[in-house]
Amino acid sequence: MAEILKGKPVADAIKEDLIAKIAEYKEKGIVAKVAILRVGARPDDLSYETRVLKNCDAIGMESQVVALPEDCTQEEYLAAMKSLNDDPLVHGILAFRPLPKQIDASAAADAIAPEKDIDCMNPKTVSKLFFDDMSGNAPCTPEACIAILKHYGYDLKGKNVVIVNRSMVLGRPLSMLFLHEHSTVTVCHSRTKDLPSVTRNADIVVTGIGRARFFGPEYFSEKNTVIDVGINAKPEGDGICGDADFDKAEPIVSAITPVPGGVGTVTSMILLRHVVDGIARL
Ligand code: NAP
């Protein structure tokens, strides 16, 4: 039986810490505030926004939503970003992506002030990570993976970590975070040969390919701690599931995160932690 590495206790610990820090700042007359910059009204964005706003309420953080029409121009978008960058009362900006095609994604990424870039969007924030400079914000999901492992007492030094994903939102930044922790990292992808033999031999396996229950028992061994980042619609209907076939992996591995209730639960608290961390940077 594997240890189930639930996200809620991790998120709750971060939440408690944030509540205390926000209260301390309030006593000094600083009110922590996040701004969301949204274009149009994609259902995914709206549901993410609702979750972020609810979490803000729960920890006493102020929030502001700037919603631009779907057909706004690049100039309008960049002007909205600039006004949030320049607003001393805003400590972090979450800019939803993807953007409509009339807005150049890299111009948008360049436009966010690095010190308010809570989701590691600006290439300057990204490059800090690759220079092992941890003074900026890492992307929230990779940071959530590390936060879970640390919360449950894992010493990452010297551990063999296999990450199945090489994207810029997950695998690449996460590999830098693990290297910072002195882990030995292997990054796998769709061209990796004999993936099951690579994952089976790892101490820690991070699955993030976006395919429901792709990782069956042949990918796992009793050595593995599995961090499942995948979020997939259940093939049989209602609800979500991970990339690991939880029911078949759980009797084999030593520990595993559930989906739902694992990495995603922690990711949203990390985002708000970045806002509070940002106060000290401004
Ligand atoms: P992505 O850009 O599509 O990247 C998928 C990665 O998986 C690529 O590196 C791809 O390899 C690799 N891959 C695909 N099929 C594979 C296979 N059969 N064997 C080995 N590797 C394979 O996706 P993403 O944006 O990084 O997101 C990945 C997953 O994470 C999604 O399920 C997403 O929902 C989830 N996610 C979760 C959170 C959270 O908070 N929990 C946040 C963000 C994303 P190639 O590079 O060779 O194509």
Side-chain angles (χ1 to χ4, degrees):
M1 291 285 278
E3 182 187 7
I4 308 301
L5 307 177
K6 290 190 180 160
K8 189 167 184 306
V10 188
D12 284 348
I14 298 170
K15 186 175 169 183
E16 288 309 305
D17 184 49
L18 289 180
I19 289 171
K21 282 190 176 139
I22 288 169
E24 261 174 50
Y25 275 123
K26 239 177 217 160
E27 277 175 20
K28 294 181 194 158
I30 300 166
V31 182
K33 181 173 176 180
V34 64
I36 293 175
L37 180 54
R38 164 165 58 80
V39 179
R42 292 171 59 239
D44 282 2
D45 289 348
L46 292 177
S47 73
Y48 189 18
E49 184 176 299
T50 305
R51 264 183 293 138
V52 173
L53 297 182
K54 197 170 146 221
N55 284 334
C56 285
D57 281 348
I59 61 170
M61 184 181 285
E62 293 237 322
S63 54
Q64 171 189 357
V65 176
V66 176
L68 299 175
E70 179 72 28
D71 62 353
C72 75
T73 64
Q74 176 159 316
E75 290 64 36
E76 285 164 337
Y77 182 87
L78 295 179
M81 183 72 91
K82 183 172 184 321
S83 99
L84 294 174
N85 284 341
D86 293 345
D87 185 343
L89 299 180
V90 169
H91 305 106
I93 302 168
L94 173 63
F96 285 142
R97 292 169 287 175
L99 291 163
K101 58 180 181 316
Q102 74 274 16
I103 301 170
D104 177 45
S106 65
D110 288 340
I112 190 168
E115 61 280 10
K116 296 190 181 185
D117 184 10
I118 56 173
D119 203 20
C120 200
M121 175 174 167
N122 191 313
K124 285 186 189 145
T125 319
V126 179
S127 85
K128 275 192 172 182
L129 256 190
F130 285 77
F131 283 97
D132 202 30
D133 172 354
M134 297 296 149
S135 67
N137 292 319
C140 297
T141 303
E143 201 174 315
C145 298
I146 302 285
I148 290 173
L149 289 162
K150 287 194 170 171
H151 179 91
Y152 286 100
Y154 283 79
D155 178 9
L156 303 178
K157 204 182 299 164
K159 291 286 186 305
N160 285 319
V161 177
V162 169
I163 304 168
V164 194
N165 179 301
R166 59 172 161 178
S167 78
M168 277 307 286
V169 294
L170 180 62
R172 287 173 205 245
L174 182 55
S175 68
M176 294 299 124
L177 294 180
F178 274 117
L179 285 178
H180 184 73
E181 299 294 334
H182 310 291
S183 305
T184 304
V185 186
T186 306
V187 179
C188 301
H189 44 78
S190 63
R191 319 288 166 88
T192 299
K193 291 204 175 101
D194 194 10
L195 186 56
S197 76
V198 184
T199 52
R200 273 199 307 266
N201 281 306
D203 298 312
I204 295 165
V205 181
V206 181
T207 56
I209 69 170
R211 291 179 67 175
R213 301 185 188 123
F214 175 89
F215 294 88
E218 68 278 20
Y219 286 87
F220 298 117
S221 74
E222 70 289 351
K223 284 178 69 171
N224 298 153
T225 290
V226 182
I227 305 292
D228 191 353
V229 181
I231 299 178
N232 312 290
K234 274 186 181 167
E236 66 275 18
D238 250 14
I240 59 166
C241 66
D243 287 352
D245 188 336
F246 187 90
D247 291 343
K248 293 191 179 127
E250 190 269 339
I252 300 171
V253 301
S254 84
I256 185 166
T257 57
V259 180
V263 177
T265 315
V266 180
T267 301
S268 39
M269 270 307 150
I270 298 279
L271 183 81
L272 299 185
R273 181 161 82 183
H274 288 169
V275 180
V276 174
D277 290 349
I279 297 175
R281 272 188 222 123
L282 293 173

